[in-house]
């Protein structure tokens, strides 16, 4: 779940070399997730696609890449971590902290799903509830980190977090021939920015957002990050109310597009993945697929887009 700190700060510009450095740091620590070449049903018939099975990552989320990268790059003597999260970032930080022998406190808003809070507990995190929005939880987490002298992680707008997530892009580059477009779900923008940085100016990265959480779409239209109201079936993971500063800079630099999909299309895509492939993902994990399946994105003739299935932290009873 995303949000903003409300502070004006210098934007750290990231490059492919930062992502390559993150990959060296993470080697042997994270899974190189596989790709699956297949066809999915589109509005006009079968569409060839490549699914990047990132939901198979440790913790069921790509976010463990960024969290672990940040902790591996932490200053000596760091012994505790604090962050705000409504879900996957908290799970990832809890898992990464346990691997590094650090204590982890996650501040969650009252709307945080029990399934995701339980996963944080399972990795040994302390979970504190504060406020009804990510922004309120983030402010509390910032104060708490200062009080405790702890390292603070951001769910998506931190250089090490974004460059760690970008390793997904380097893997895609090695696993897939040519330079097909890569469709990525967008919340706060850490994953879409990381992949865009990894692939560089020759890459084609397309963000996919729920109509009820159009952070990147609204920012691109305004020319700067702006606040949006969030109401979506995927808001527990794609619930940022403002795109991250790093993601905004990367999107403008590399011409990242934004497509909007309906909640109905996301739900249908999630159900389709289970029905046809026995793949279980959360709503956010199905958002990029929804763009192709609903016809919002129509591949060019001979094109096989890569679709990132980014997370699987969900209650399977809802399928």
């Amino acid at each position: 779940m995303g949000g903003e700190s409300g502070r004006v700060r210098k934007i750290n510009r990231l490059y492919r070399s930062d992502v390559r450095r993150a990959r060296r740091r993470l080697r042997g620590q994270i899974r190189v997730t596989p790709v699956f070449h297949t066809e999915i049903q589109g509005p006009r018939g079968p569409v060839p696609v490549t699914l990047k099975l990132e939901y198979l990552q440790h913790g069921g989320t790509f976010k463990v890449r960024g969290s672990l990268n940040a902790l591996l790059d932490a200053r000596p003597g760091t012994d505790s971590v604090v962050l705000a999260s409504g879900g996957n970032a908290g799970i990832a930080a809890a898992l990464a902290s346990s691997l590094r022998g650090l204590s982890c406190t996650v501040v969650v808003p009252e709307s945080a799903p029990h399934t995701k809070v339980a996963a944080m507990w399972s990795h040994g995190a302390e979970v504190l509830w504060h406020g009804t929005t990510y922004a309120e939880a983030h402010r509390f987490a910032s104060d708490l980190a200062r009080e405790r002298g702890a390292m603070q992680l951001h769910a998506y707008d931190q250089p090490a977090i974004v460059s760690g997530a970008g390793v997904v892009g380097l893997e895609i580059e090695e696993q897939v021939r040519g330079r097909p477009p890569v469709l990525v779900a967008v919340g706060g923008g850490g994953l879409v920015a990381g992949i865009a940085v990894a692939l560089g100016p020759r890459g084609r990265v397309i963000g996919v957002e729920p109509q009820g959480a159009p952070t990147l779409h609204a920012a691109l239209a305004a020319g700067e990050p702006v606040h949006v109201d969030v109401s979506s079936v995927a808001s527990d993971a794609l619930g940022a109310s403002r795109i991250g500063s790093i993601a905004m800079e990367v999107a403008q630099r590399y011409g990242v597009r934004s497509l909007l999909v309906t909640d109905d299309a996301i739900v249908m895509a999630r159900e389709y993945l289970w029905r046809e492939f026995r793949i279980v993902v959360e709503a956010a994990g199905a958002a990029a697929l929804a763009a192709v399946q609903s016809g919002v994105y129509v591949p060019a003739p001979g094109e096989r887009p890569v679709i990132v299935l980014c997370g699987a932290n969900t209650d399977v009873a809802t399928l």
Side-chain angles (χ1 to χ4, degrees):
M1 202 180 214
E4 67 283 340
S5 63
R7 294 181 293 123
V8 176
R9 60 180 176 78
K10 182 180 178 181
I11 299 171
N12 292 275
R13 179 172 279 211
L14 297 178
Y15 295 95
R16 180 178 167 89
S17 59
D18 295 301
V19 182
R20 291 174 64 88
R21 190 175 301 114
R23 179 168 63 173
R24 289 194 296 271
R25 193 178 289 127
L26 291 169
R27 186 166 285 125
Q29 306 285 324
I30 51 97
R31 291 178 179 142
V32 177
T33 54
V35 295
F36 175 37
H37 305 295
T38 188
E39 290 184 341
I40 60 105
Q41 193 64 33
R44 299 175 186 84
V47 179
V49 298
T50 297
L51 304 179
K52 174 64 169 168
L53 308 184
E54 184 59 17
Y55 69 94
L56 295 173
Q57 190 52 256
H58 295 297
T61 172
F62 75 91
K63 286 180 177 287
V64 75
R65 296 173 183 262
S67 293
L68 192 52
N69 184 48
L71 297 189
L72 289 168
D73 194 39
R75 67 179 184 273
T78 297
D79 60 4
S80 60
V81 173
V82 173
L83 78 157
S85 170
N88 287 338
I91 295 170
L95 176 54
S97 296
S98 69
L99 292 173
R100 300 295 298 162
L102 309 178
S103 66
C104 178
T105 299
V106 186
V107 181
V108 303
E110 294 169 6
S111 58
H114 177 74
T115 301
K116 296 191 175 186
V117 171
M120 298 174 205
W121 282 331
S122 74
H123 297 302
E126 174 190 28
V127 179
L128 304 177
W129 281 263
H130 185 85
T132 59
T133 65
Y134 172 90
E136 291 173 326
H138 180 75
R139 286 191 289 271
F140 184 82
S142 297
D143 292 340
L144 188 64
R146 282 191 293 271
E147 287 176 17
R148 296 183 177 180
M151 178 181 183
Q152 185 177 4
L153 295 181
H154 195 284
Y156 55 83
D157 202 19
Q158 195 168 342
I161 297 292
V162 176
S163 56
V167 178
V168 173
L170 297 182
E171 291 177 11
I172 291 172
E173 189 176 54
E174 293 177 348
Q175 293 168 323
V176 180
R177 293 181 180 178
R179 293 185 178 274
V182 180
L183 276 65
V184 189
V186 178
L191 181 59
V192 74
I195 291 176
V197 169
L199 299 180
R202 292 185 295 170
R204 288 183 288 161
V205 180
I206 300 165
V208 181
E209 305 175 88
Q211 288 182 351
T215 54
L216 178 58
H217 200 85
L220 291 175
E224 63 181 357
V226 294
H227 178 87
V228 301
D229 293 326
V230 175
S231 178
S232 170
V233 68
S235 61
D236 65 322
L238 304 182
S241 60
R242 186 184 183 94
I243 198 71
S245 299
I246 296 174
M248 184 66 191
E249 189 278 325
V250 170
Q252 291 178 318
R253 188 179 3 146
Y254 291 127
V256 176
R257 296 166 52 196
S258 167
L259 301 176
L260 301 181
V261 292
T262 66
D263 275 2
D264 284 348
I266 293 172
V267 170
M268 288 178 62
R270 180 172 178 260
E271 292 175 349
Y272 178 84
L273 284 169
W274 170 246
R275 185 174 67 250
E276 296 296 325
F277 302 109
R278 291 299 186 261
I279 288 175
V280 178
V281 296
E282 58 196 281
L289 176 65
V292 175
Q293 197 170 39
S294 67
V296 169
Y297 180 81
V298 179
E303 182 180 271
R304 181 188 286 271
V306 176
I307 297 172
V308 182
L309 305 181
C310 56
N313 289 301
T314 187
D315 183 351
V316 295
T318 62
L319 280 167

